[in-house]
Amino acid sequence: MQTHVVDHPLAAERLARIRDASTPSPAFRQALRELSTFLVYEATRSLESEVTTVRTPLADAPARQLVRQPIIVPVLRAGLGMLGPAQDLLPDAPVGFIGVRRNEETLLPDAYMSTIPPDLDGAPVIVLDPMLATGGSLVYTCEQIVEHHSGRMIVVCVLAAPEGIEHFAAAGFDAEIYTASVDERLNEVGFIVPGLGDAGDRQFGAQ
């Protein structure tokens, strides 16, 4: 499994905005949308495409198109802020939702919904989750996706912790990660340090 850090000045600038504790929710959501666009753009480089032809006003021209649309799966609730940019770039891609909340006592995932189609028939899947912290929620999410017969998975997250990456890698998925930063560590309650706080609360307010 590979972890790709998107190292771009514009991505770094948006990341700084959403890290800043003084950034209000409207500006946080806007910066998250813009950063998510950069991350999804990079993450889709490996999608399979094929050569085709289009007709310009003057002549035929070579072109490329995706062989197969991926399935977009935002992890609720924080992943909702990344869905719009992904749909802007992949307007024909179907969307499935998985709802997972972290139990603050055990730090384990509690699932509360899924709308993943019963048979993905080997389609590639793009998972959207801003924070890869302990990795428990992401591993659970990807286990559910694999049970629905997915193809390769591409995980797009804003921040990742080394512990979360290690946990996810140990699960052995056919997957890769795209992120804006691999941060230092997790603290004693499972938050990424330096991180950005709770991505869901900062988008939508308190639970």
Side-chain angles (χ1 to χ4, degrees):
M1 189 204 74
Q2 288 187 302
T3 299
H4 309 272
V5 177
V6 177
D7 182 16
H8 190 285
L10 296 183
E13 192 220 15
R14 270 57 171 199
L15 178 58
R17 289 185 199 171
I18 63 177
R19 284 194 193 273
D20 190 339
S22 68
T23 299
S25 290
F28 183 96
R29 290 192 296 268
Q30 181 62 33
L32 177 61
R33 282 186 60 90
E34 294 169 358
L35 177 55
S36 298
T37 299
F38 304 144
L39 294 174
V40 173
Y41 175 82
E42 290 296 332
T44 52
R45 283 184 181 274
S46 59
L47 292 179
E48 186 180 0
S49 64
E50 61 187 0
V51 177
T52 185
T53 302
V54 295
R55 180 71 181 178
T56 80
L58 301 177
D60 290 342
R64 299 192 71 85
Q65 64 183 14
L66 293 181
V67 171
R68 188 172 189 183
Q69 291 290 327
I71 311 296
I72 303 172
V73 179
V75 181
L76 302 181
R77 64 182 168 141
L80 281 176
M82 305 175 75
L83 176 58
Q87 289 185 297
D88 288 343
L89 294 174
L90 296 160
D92 297 321
V95 178
F97 298 91
I98 290 184
V100 183
R101 61 170 63 91
R102 184 174 68 169
N103 185 307
E104 298 302 334
E105 294 182 0
T106 66
L107 303 184
L108 296 175
D110 287 337
Y112 59 90
M113 72 164 291
S114 173
T115 64
I116 303 298
D119 188 1
L120 298 176
D121 191 29
V125 177
I126 298 176
V127 180
L128 307 175
D129 193 359
M131 311 294 281
L132 173 49
T134 65
S137 294
L138 183 60
V139 168
Y140 172 84
T141 296
C142 291
E143 285 174 345
Q144 303 308 302
I145 292 169
V146 168
E147 286 184 6
H148 291 255
H149 315 294
S150 70
R152 186 170 58 92
M153 292 180 289
I154 303 170
V155 175
V156 181
C157 56
V158 170
L159 295 179
E163 297 92 331
I165 293 173
E166 182 178 358
H167 184 187
F168 186 70
F173 297 112
D174 180 13
E176 54 188 330
I177 296 170
Y178 283 80
T179 184
S181 176
V182 177
D183 276 13
E184 295 173 11
R185 59 183 174 85
L186 296 178
N187 66 12
E188 64 279 1
V189 292
F191 274 78
I192 299 174
V193 178
L196 53 82
D198 186 295
D201 285 355
R202 295 199 60 194
Q203 290 179 74
F204 309 118
Q207 298 182 21

